[in-house]
Amino acid sequence: MNILLIGSGGREHALAWKLAQSPRCTTLWASSGNPGMAEVIGGAGQGGCIPLALNDHAVVAAFCLAQAIALVVIGPEAPLVDGLADSLRAAGIAVFGPGKAAAQLEGSKGFTKDMCTRAGIPTAGYVRAKTAAEAHSALAAFGAPVVIKADGLAAGKGVVIAQTAEEAAAAIDDMFGGAFGGAGAEVVIEEFLEGEEVSLFAITDGSAIALFGSAQDHKRVGEGDTGPNTGGMGAYSPAPVLTAELEARAMAEIIAPTVKAMADAGMPYSGVLFAGLMLTADGPKLIEYNCRFGDPECQVLMMRLESDLVELLDACARGELAGAAAPTLSEESAITVVVAAKGYPATPASGGAIENLSAAETRGAKVFHAGTAETADGKLIAKGGRVLNVTATGVTLREARDRAYAALAEMRFDDGFWRSDIGWRELARQAAKP
């Protein structure tokens, strides 16, 4: 089977790494890819990285038809929200990823909140505001702390947890003032939920649903979960805080009703559902949905996945998930540490030299490229805020953590930094057990 993978970040490098392992993968292409993905594809003697104008759907469809692509896997959210999956399906090409209407689950936080209300899905109380005046007038009903969210796509950064009314008012003004571009044209104000955040993943073909594991991300840039939100500074999987009982509740009370509600609304959801959950005293509540594998959560999930990824994604794309074997994930733990460029998430440094990645991988880790480029003379440099994902597995989370940080010590990236405490909450819980 010839496959086209859309995307160029750490998530897509992890997907390419796993897709290339499948005996069903004959030729693998990536657009636009990155140096790490080129190594995965080139090493298998398959396809390659090719720049395609993703906003020109006809160009992507023409490439797929010319290369006899049997499956397109769309990694990032922007092409999904733009309707690329619809255009490719109209050309007779199977796609893993939701169409434009269904991708509103990530593309509009207000859309998702309204869907939760209609379907009775547990989530935080909220108000949608289309103007700054509406948002300011709604604040009094929430008190503080309160959550202010840009309605649209903001690369994981359009969320402010305001501790005071003044901070909330400033966040509203920033969003409507263009701090997150068009994503802040509308704002969602949410009740602040007490609890611990966790990520749950499922794949669906619009009818059948299969659990795909759990993870816990670290959104804040600083140690101990301090500082501004980022796209994610690290993750681990599984997340034991999401017990089997809570996981079953989340599937029954959140995931399954969402799939049904979307089908009933005439916009069936096909692809991966990434539910950001808050584990409250009343049980799991939905914070938000992503319509793609998370980044960096995908990296730890792919490290644990024992099933054939092509089989699973193809079954979803063709509406045949009910007849496919359920995903099998290793009992081992996986952890990934994001290496970011200095200045991230504000103004990351670009062009810094990266060295000794092969030495890092001798310490039992896999290094996924997230924001890298190659110079004309073949040297690796940083090109982006999040640059690398150093990922490892172990029988225990501590063993996985130790391997990842040992690998980090081997590499050289003077313009980079990383958190030294990924997994700290779970490790503290485990250390406290008798």
Side-chain angles (χ1 to χ4, degrees):
M1 173 187 294
N2 296 342
I3 300 170
L4 172 64
L5 172 61
I6 301 294
S8 58
R11 167 183 48 231
E12 288 76 35
H13 187 181
L15 289 170
W17 176 73
K18 202 67 184 178
L19 290 168
Q21 295 173 22
S22 171
R24 291 194 61 192
C25 181
T26 306
T27 304
L28 178 61
W29 296 89
S31 179
S32 54
N34 65 39
M37 294 168 72
E39 288 180 9
V40 168
I41 295 170
Q46 305 169 334
C49 293
I50 179 169
L52 293 172
L54 299 182
N55 58 349
D56 191 334
H57 299 181
V59 167
V60 181
F63 174 84
C64 292
L65 295 172
Q67 298 297 329
I69 299 295
L71 175 66
V72 176
V73 178
I74 302 179
E77 62 273 24
L80 294 168
V81 172
D82 189 44
L84 178 59
D86 295 317
S87 299
L88 295 178
R89 288 186 179 113
I93 302 158
V95 182
F96 179 79
K100 183 173 185 175
Q104 290 180 91
L105 281 178
E106 179 166 4
S108 170
K109 294 177 178 65
F111 172 89
T112 300
K113 300 296 285 191
D114 290 348
M115 182 274 298
C116 288
T117 298
R118 291 192 302 272
I121 293 169
T123 189
Y126 71 103
V127 167
R128 298 178 70 172
K130 294 185 177 180
T131 67
E134 286 180 11
H136 284 300
S137 66
L139 270 181
F142 288 88
V146 63
V147 182
I148 314 296
K149 294 181 177 180
D151 180 71
L153 297 180
K157 299 171 191 150
V159 177
V160 174
I161 300 173
Q163 299 297 324
T164 66
E166 290 75 20
E167 286 181 16
I172 288 168
D173 290 338
D174 285 345
M175 289 183 188
F176 281 107
F180 300 103
E186 183 174 332
V187 162
V188 175
I189 303 172
E190 282 189 9
E191 164 197 14
F192 177 78
L193 296 177
E194 295 278 359
E196 192 162 343
E197 193 171 342
V198 69
S199 301
L200 178 65
F201 296 83
I203 55 173
T204 178
D205 59 7
S207 176
I209 306 168
L211 177 67
F212 207 95
S214 66
Q216 195 160 44
D217 189 15
H218 298 64
K219 285 290 185 191
R220 302 280 189 167
V221 73
E223 308 282 314
D225 296 330
T226 58
N229 274 336
T230 71
M233 292 299 294
Y236 64 91
S237 175
V241 70
L242 186 69
T243 63
E245 178 187 0
L246 290 173
E247 188 174 78
R249 281 190 63 181
M251 290 293 288
E253 298 172 14
I254 297 173
I255 300 290
T258 296
V259 173
K260 183 179 186 304
M262 296 299 285
D264 290 347
M267 50 184 83
Y269 189 99
S270 175
V272 61
L273 266 177
F274 163 10
L277 307 175
M278 186 66 77
L279 303 183
T280 75
D282 298 322
K285 292 190 178 184
L286 180 70
I287 301 171
E288 63 183 14
Y289 271 127
N290 292 321
C291 58
R292 34 72 191 186
F293 284 107
D295 188 350
E297 294 92 342
C298 182
Q299 289 84 315
V300 288
L301 290 172
M302 292 305 116
M303 290 288 281
R304 293 183 58 224
L305 182 65
E306 296 177 336
S307 303
D308 186 321
L309 183 62
V310 173
E311 293 278 0
L312 292 168
L313 304 194
D314 190 51
C316 281
R318 300 181 189 283
E320 300 170 355
L321 186 60
T328 301
L329 278 76
S330 166
E331 293 294 324
E332 289 197 333
S333 290
I335 194 166
T336 189
V337 181
V338 170
V339 180
K342 289 177 180 176
Y344 179 76
T347 308
S350 185
I354 303 165
E355 299 174 335
N356 297 345
L357 293 193
S358 58
E361 292 196 334
T362 64
R363 301 302 297 265
K366 175 67 183 171
V367 180
F368 294 114
H369 292 226
T372 64
E374 233 176 34
T375 63
D377 57 356
K379 293 181 180 178
L380 192 67
I381 60 171
K383 184 187 176 184
R386 293 185 296 168
V387 180
L388 300 166
N389 311 133
V390 179
T391 315
T393 59
V395 174
T396 64
L397 180 60
R398 183 168 297 279
E399 183 178 71
R401 191 277 308 268
D402 290 347
R403 286 177 178 167
Y405 282 107
L408 279 161
E410 295 287 344
M411 57 168 279
R412 176 162 186 158
F413 176 32
D414 292 342
D415 283 350
F417 75 97
W418 56 86
R419 282 181 54 170
S420 64
D421 64 344
I422 301 302
W424 69 275
R425 278 197 177 91
E426 182 56 31
L427 289 167
R429 275 191 287 263
Q430 292 177 6
K433 289 180 180 177

